[in-house]
Structure formats: C-alpha cells, structure tokens
Amino acid sequence: MNNQKRKEILTRLRDDNPEPTTELNFSNPFELLVAVTLSAQATDVSVNKATDKLFPVANTPQAIYDLGVDGLKQYIKTIGLYNSKAENVIKACRMLLDLHGGEVPESREALEALPGVGRKTANVVLNTAFGWPTIAVDTHIFRVSNRTKFAMGKNVDLVEQKLLKVVPAEFKVDVHHWLILLGRYICVARKPKCNACIIEDLCEFKEKTS
C-alpha cells in the first residue's frame, strides 16, 4: 500500500471519529492502568462491569492494595485469569506506592517494570492517559493492518514498527483507537463487514464480502 492511500484511509477514519478514545471506563491514569491490565484476554465490556463496582470503592494504589489479593478477587472474579491478575495488580500497587509516590509514571521503562504490564499495556497508558504517539497493537489492529495491507508484519512487534514508520505524525495519537474500533465492529475476524466499511474502496483485501 502506498502512503497516499494510507493518508486517505486515516483522513476518512478521522473525519468519521475526530476524538476517539478507549471503550474502557476510567477517570484517571491509575484506573486506566488497572483496566488495561485486567483486559488481557478479556473483553472491555467484562472489564467495565467489574471496574464499575471496584472503582467507586477503591481507585487509588493504596485503596486497592488495602483490599488485598482476596478482596480484589471478589470484584474481578468474572474476568478471565482473575487470580493472576489480582496478584499482579496488588504487586503493581505496592510498587507504585514504594517507587512512584502512588502515581502512575509517565515512563515506558517504569510502566513495563510493573507486574502484569507489558509493552502493549504501557503503550495504551502512555497514549490514552498521557497523549504519547504510541501505537498498541492488539489482535484487532494486527488483523486490520495485515488484512487491509496498511502495515503488514508477521507479529505484533513488526506491525507496531511498520505503523510507527508509515503513519504520519498528525494521526499517530489516534490511529490506535481507530484501528481497534474498525477491527472490533467492522473488520471482524471471521467475516468482515466490507459493505459497511468507510474504507472499503481503499482497502487491499482481495476477498471482500458483499
């Protein structure tokens, strides 16, 4: 795909959704960090159902740490892998209290040092909480990038590198959200809804559905 076509795709996505954001519910960087950590191999809907009950009770590192692992599990037990996630969140809260004054650090290295936080989670927090031009590649973005031929790569790291290279600066802060939403609702895994897609004529996927 050439850069002119890429820019047209991004322009259409921006025109359709000028101020995109995550579908996870949060009101501060710490809530976002917890929500993204819980969202691994789980839907945003399931995470929101849990955090909508958790955050009114505890939404700071100290408050969640005070719940303890077993206390936190009671709020997130409807989410997949909740046992290990509860342990990671409690450990992360302890580190935030001990090393960062109870604040979420605006640093990739510091974020990735937290239990349960990998590159993708760090990218989401840096992008959505702090406005960094990072691109977190999940299964939706990986699929859309390869299927449309917008930014092809054999794994998520290669797709991220390609996206960072080919996406113009003016679109970088928001492209993560546009591609996730496109993959979640239109360019779905089994049968993409090509006839409902605003970039169908620009997409280079050969087996389009009618």
Side-chain angles (χ1 to χ4, degrees):
M1 181 175 287
N2 62 50
N3 287 330
Q4 182 178 352
K5 188 180 286 188
R6 289 190 180 99
K7 186 169 183 179
E8 176 60 28
I9 285 173
L10 295 170
T11 299
R12 286 191 195 177
L13 294 174
R14 180 175 62 187
D15 290 346
D16 183 61
N17 187 3
E19 297 181 1
T21 189
T22 178
E23 293 188 311
L24 291 168
N25 295 338
F26 75 100
S27 61
N28 59 52
F30 176 69
E31 288 186 357
L32 178 64
L33 175 64
V34 172
V36 178
T37 301
L38 295 177
S39 72
Q41 299 181 50
T43 65
D44 286 3
V45 172
S46 68
V47 173
N48 286 338
K49 285 182 179 178
T51 58
D52 284 351
K53 295 178 181 178
L54 169 65
F55 290 155
V57 175
N59 73 336
T60 66
Q62 187 66 62
I64 287 186
Y65 184 77
D66 289 343
L67 288 176
V69 173
D70 289 339
L72 179 56
K73 284 180 183 179
Q74 297 308 306
Y75 290 96
I76 66 169
K77 60 187 178 182
T78 55
I79 301 173
L81 306 176
Y82 74 93
N83 285 310
S84 60
K85 288 177 181 178
E87 292 180 6
N88 282 335
V89 169
I90 293 298
K91 290 176 183 175
C93 287
R94 184 71 265 166
M95 288 181 67
L96 290 174
L97 292 166
D98 290 345
L99 302 177
H100 304 289
E103 299 293 327
V104 175
E106 190 176 343
S107 156
R108 176 184 300 284
E109 184 179 16
L111 286 169
E112 290 189 22
L114 298 172
V117 178
R119 183 175 180 84
K120 184 179 76 171
T121 297
N123 275 339
V124 173
V125 173
L126 291 170
N127 175 271
T128 305
F130 300 116
W132 284 31
T134 56
I135 303 174
V137 178
D138 69 349
T139 54
H140 296 302
I141 293 181
F142 181 77
R143 178 176 67 254
V144 170
S145 296
N146 277 291
R147 181 185 274 164
T148 62
K149 298 187 169 50
F150 187 99
M152 300 180 71
K154 292 182 179 179
N155 57 54
V156 293
D157 291 334
L158 291 174
V159 169
E160 180 185 342
Q161 292 171 24
K162 187 68 181 286
L163 285 168
L164 288 169
K165 181 178 178 181
V166 302
V167 173
E170 65 179 298
F171 300 106
K172 270 197 177 125
V173 171
D174 293 324
V175 67
H176 158 83
H177 299 298
W178 291 324
L179 295 181
I180 277 185
L181 293 171
L182 187 65
R184 186 171 287 168
Y185 297 110
I186 301 296
C187 197
V188 294
R190 291 189 179 179
K191 188 177 181 181
K193 303 171 185 177
C194 297
N195 59 346
C197 182
I198 61 173
I199 64 164
E200 180 186 11
D201 57 315
L202 300 170
C203 165
E204 296 184 4
F205 180 52
K206 293 181 179 179
E207 300 170 14
K208 290 191 174 79
T209 60
S210 59

